[in-house]
Amino acid sequence: MDSINFFKGYGKVNNPAGNQQPASNRRRRILLAASLAVFLTIVLGAMIGALIYESATEPPESEEEQLPASDSGESLKTVCAVTQYLDSCINSISALNDPPKSDPVHFFNLSLQVSQRELASLASLPKTLISKSNDRRAESALKDCVNLFDDSLSQLNRSAELMKVAVVGPAEKLLTEMRISDMQTWISAAMTDQDTCLDGLDEMGSTVVDELRTRVHKSSEYMSNSLAILNNLKSLVDKFGLKMP
């Protein structure tokens, strides 16, 4: 009987591992979970740090595209950069000595004034050449130029009048896409009138065409500048971070 009790108790005394094994497994799982948590924390921290550094070193896209409104000279260069005749645009507008104002709409208005003044000065030249000419064919072509230049100036004046109203009145209502389209049509027509004048003198084989061509070329440059600024007005306004009128 004693031997039977001995064997029954033997299994309980000599099998301690059966009670200790689950505790050991739990410790290993805890250590593994803790190590994984630390690893994930390090990776997450590195990713957050990289995002913070990137956002701190790279300005927002809107800041890169917008230009400071304080430097009128640089603003004028930016506006004139859309034209075919950069130097002509900058020099002619700067010569007006207008108070600095970094606004593409304002620069377009000044460019239009330059075009008006040059064309007004040019409009009287055909009459002067007529008085000096003994060539009847040339006189006929020059008379056509007088009418063409008058019409050209009238087209520019229509644009200028619209801009005067826009500057004084609520520009956001006046400078609509339709009105901008009207000015594009008028300025283009003014340039066409000048080309038609030169074509007529060429057909007549007139000797005064070269003298007139030099002045027309300068006037056409100014109108080309105005038209280019007008064509790019919306993108320029956006680039300056302003609201389109």
Side-chain angles (χ1 to χ4, degrees):
M1 192 68 181
D2 292 338
S3 62
I4 292 174
N5 291 333
F6 171 78
F7 283 110
K8 288 181 177 179
Y10 179 80
K12 297 178 179 179
V13 173
N14 292 283
N15 190 27
N19 297 329
Q20 296 177 0
Q21 186 66 29
S24 177
N25 290 339
R26 284 196 299 272
R27 284 196 297 270
R28 283 197 295 270
R29 286 195 295 269
I30 292 172
L31 289 174
L32 180 61
S35 299
L36 182 59
V38 172
F39 175 76
L40 291 176
T41 301
I42 294 173
V43 172
L44 184 60
M47 293 174 63
I48 294 174
L51 290 174
I52 293 174
Y53 175 79
E54 183 178 357
S55 63
T57 54
E58 295 185 4
E61 182 179 354
S62 59
E63 291 183 6
E64 291 179 344
E65 294 180 352
Q66 293 180 8
L67 298 173
S70 58
D71 192 339
S72 180
E74 288 301 318
S75 299
L76 176 58
K77 290 180 182 179
T78 300
V79 171
C80 288
V82 304
T83 69
Q84 184 178 353
Y85 308 103
L86 176 63
D87 292 339
S88 170
C89 177
I90 293 174
N91 294 336
S92 62
I93 293 177
S94 298
L96 295 178
N97 294 320
D98 195 79
K101 185 177 181 181
S102 297
D103 180 357
V105 176
H106 177 67
F107 286 131
F108 167 67
N109 196 23
L110 294 180
S111 174
L112 198 56
Q113 291 180 30
V114 170
S115 298
Q116 272 186 294
R117 293 181 183 184
E118 182 62 28
L119 183 55
S121 174
L122 173 63
S124 61
L125 181 58
K127 296 178 181 179
T128 301
L129 294 175
I130 289 173
S131 65
K132 296 179 179 180
S133 175
N134 295 321
D135 186 342
R136 290 185 178 180
R137 293 190 307 167
E139 289 181 13
S140 175
L142 286 170
K143 288 179 180 179
D144 289 339
C145 289
V146 172
N147 295 328
L148 288 166
F149 286 175
D150 285 344
D151 181 72
S152 181
L153 187 57
S154 174
Q155 302 288 357
L156 289 187
N157 288 341
R158 293 175 71 182
S159 297
E161 286 299 320
L162 191 152
M163 287 304 300
K164 287 180 181 179
V165 175
V167 170
V168 176
E172 68 278 2
K173 295 182 179 180
L174 293 171
L175 284 182
T176 61
E177 289 186 7
M178 182 176 294
R179 289 176 181 267
I180 289 177
S181 177
D182 286 341
M183 286 191 289
Q184 290 171 330
T185 300
W186 297 335
I187 296 173
S188 296
M191 297 175 67
T192 300
D193 284 337
Q194 291 190 330
D195 291 338
T196 302
C197 165
L198 293 180
D199 290 342
L201 290 172
D202 281 333
E203 291 176 3
M204 294 297 178
S206 173
T207 57
V208 301
V209 66
D210 291 334
E211 182 177 356
L212 191 60
R213 188 186 302 277
T214 301
R215 292 288 304 277
V216 168
H217 179 70
K218 184 178 181 182
S219 177
S220 295
E221 275 192 14
Y222 291 158
M223 283 191 279
S224 173
N225 293 338
S226 298
L227 186 59
I229 295 172
L230 181 62
N231 290 341
N232 292 275
L233 197 56
K234 186 179 185 304
S235 62
L236 286 169
V237 168
D238 291 341
K239 194 168 188 178
F240 278 74
L242 304 173
K243 291 183 179 181
M244 180 65 187

